[in-house]
Amino acid sequence: MSEKIVSFFSGAGGLSLGFALADLKPVLGVDINDDAYSTYKSNLGIPCHNLDLNASDKCSLIDLLSPYKEVFAVIGGPPCQGFSTAGSRNELDSRNQLIFNYFAIVEYLKPKWFLFENVEGLLTSNSGKSVFELVRRFISLGYLLRLEKVNFAAYGLPQSRKRAIVIGNRIGAFFHFPPETHSFNAGKHNKLLPLFPHSPTLDEAISGLPEAVSYECFLPYTHAETSSEYEHFIRQSNNSGGVKHHFSTPSANELERYSLLEPGQTMKDLTESLWHPSFRKRAFRRVKDGTATEKRGGAPAGIKRLYSHLCSPTITSASSREFIHPSLDRALTLRECARLQSFSDRYVFSGNTSSIAIQIGNAFPPLVAMRFAQHLMQIEAKVGSGLISLKEWEAQLIGYRLTDASGMSPALMHTESLLKSLMFNLG
Ligand SMILES: C[S@@+](CC[C@H](N)C(=O)[O-])C[C@H]1O[C@@H](n2cnc3c(N)ncnc32)[C@H](O)[C@@H]1O
């Protein structure tokens, strides 16, 4: 019988879908957002509760959670906007407390395993104290855990997407993260390893889709055959014979901008008279106070034509407005963004265009979730067959990786010094 998992801050269900693809059994999702809740329920076919995990009264939360005590795994990604380097980073943002709500759920349910996901900004937020405190609490709860920043492209995603992941168990299994399987090249972010296959390119990820139209409707595939392994993965469970969410409606102004951009070029490469008003406002604001836009949290909003032969940059809720197709004069469609996030073509999202864009941009890519879930099952199998010995262990941070780069920023160095004190239970 499949092991059961429960997901909190479950969003559209990317994590749960990936765990289901690895033959685990999602039995519960919880999210505050009506549309995400509805997407989760209709695609995964299991109960999802529409609940504010910050404000729910304790008794009703306990009623909801109690059937899942000592479940196999708790998985989830509390909201990250408060930590995100792409937003205005606010350490007092109440959403930042939600990581401790996630902890409280693990504390109550005591799962064998948990997987926690957040943006890399968590690692340096609040001078590293937020992540330090989270890890410290998991240790005091009796977990062995690891914290790593990973780029999901290294697991075969056609997208550079860096996230901080914490995985823990209370069965006493010393473990590593799943080994990386792919080389990748997303331009600025790349990792080229000679013996590894390349992650799919943007072109491979979005190939085989029908021509996009200008309104939401069902569009049948025009080719029965798939042209890449990735497309096969995306299409394999889609029995509907086509896709939704594959539309784009550029205005005349947008069309003019798009037509002038070559792959790799952005709004900045257009003459100033063509800049979008919001982009111009930001650009001049930067000049006025002399602060680089990167330092205010986030690259300047603006359009960018993508390269077909590279992995895509990180998909966010803005991607279906800002990422321009490599060869067509339109932005990526929601379906193309969902494909770059490795959602099956059968997945149908609830809500209006901007709500769907948020759900897709927020999601944990199912393909990577599947690889992590398979890895946990392999560890369980090794424990079961005695290949991993569980004798004499103490809760602790077994390891961390805060960056792939050779050097560390002063902020990361500070976080590292805090985390070191938790290694081998020294803290
Ligand atoms: C980063 S997304 C999670 C994505 C999800 N792991 C997936 O794979 O698709 C964070 C989610 O937390 C939800 N959320 C935010 N505040 C919440 C709260 N107070 N209670 C419950 N859910 C909340 C958001 O609606 C959003 O769907």
Side-chain angles (χ1 to χ4, degrees), residues 22 48 78 80 92 109 113 141 146 169 193 199 247 263 318 336-337 356 358 395 398 400 408:
C48 183
C80 40
L92 300 176
L109 291 182
W113 290 89
L141 201 56
R146 231 174 226 289
N169 74 70
L193 304 164
S199 270
F247 63 96
E336 287 166 335
C337 293
I356 294 176
I358 292 171
I398 353 178
Y400 58 82
M408 258 193 216

Side-chain angles (χ1 to χ4, degrees), residues 257 267-277 279-280 283-284:
R257 291 187 196 112
M267 186 82 86
K268 267 192 269 183
D269 296 299
L270 297 173
T271 54
E272 223 178 282
S273 58
L274 286 175
W275 286 1
H276 189 280
F279 181 81
R280 184 189 321 238
F284 285 129

Side-chain angles (χ1 to χ4, degrees), residues 230-251:
Y230 188 78
E231 195 196 342
H232 179 73
F233 172 78
I234 293 290
R235 274 176 66 162
Q236 65 187 346
S237 63
N238 184 15
N239 301 322
S240 72
V243 292
K244 284 194 77 180
H245 313 318
H246 192 46
F247 63 96
S248 170
T249 48
S251 66

Side-chain angles (χ1 to χ4, degrees), residues 306-317:
L306 302 183
Y307 289 103
S308 60
H309 66 288
L310 300 181
C311 290
S312 90
T314 307
I315 296 297
T316 69
S317 57

